[in-house]
Amino acid sequence: NDLAGKLVADDRIKMISFTGSPAIGWQIKSRAGKKRVTLELGGNAPFIVFDDADLDSAVKGAMAAKFRNAGQACNAANRFYAQAGIYDAFTARLSAEVAKLQVGDGFAQGVQIGPLIEAAAIKKIKAHVQDAKKLGAQVATGGKALADLGPNFYQPTVLTNVTSEMLCTREETFGPLAPVVRFETEAEAIALANNTEFGLAAYFFSRDISRVWRVAEAIESGMVGVNGGTLSNEHTPFGGVKQSGLGREGSHHGMD
């Protein structure tokens, strides 16, 4: 009886494109019958920084991948992994840049971070930060709601000493939170990146061209950004694997 149900069932509709939750997306697919379907169902994007990365570029990329739209993007970086040799340097540089971000009314001069979209988003980021702190993570910068600005504002936040048991690495935060996990080897980084039911976007930084090709092939993600913090534009196909969806938006028509 709902509008979406009527559209899915109507034989005049030849193709369905849906962006939203996995639960609804797969339900639409099951009801679509012979219709073509593309589904974009969210993500849990890893952001990996190897020892041989250019740290200036990695920090710049992290700022773009995490904090655009206050972290509220399906292809935003959600889990950060920094190799042991550069972990301290990367987290220090990232924290310093994040601390400079201006939060407030998006129409005000100089503001870079606006509010989260709803009360549930604030509740989720608070829960993720609280859980991480309880399990031993440390707040490098941020970590608090900004109630004086309004009910849905939260400080851009960096957490260090994060582990894969924490909620912020297992669930998509969809907010301005960057939790950074330390790793030792390339194989460990790949395993951590793939340890999720989602596979929409991934990012990594390395100056070793052999590693670039190995890791790009090994990561289970529909889109992989190498040495950059953005990976989607009008020229390239957009979509994921696993619980992140089915099919691609754009395809070769995007190049046209």
Side-chain angles (χ1 to χ4, degrees), residues 1 15 40 51 66 80-81 91 97-98 100 110 131 140 143 186 196 202 206 208 221 223:
N1 296 324
M15 181 173 178
E40 200 278 274
D51 281 346
K66 172 74 263 184
F80 288 74
Y81 301 101
T91 53
E97 290 301 310
V98 171
K100 297 176 186 177
D131 171 78
E186 180 183 307
T196 174
S206 172
D208 181 333
S221 180
M223 301 176 289

Side-chain angles (χ1 to χ4, degrees), residues 35-51:
K35 296 179 178 67
R36 295 178 64 195
V37 177
T38 62
L39 303 174
E40 200 278 274
L41 307 178
N44 187 0
F47 187 105
I48 305 168
V49 185
F50 289 100
D51 281 346

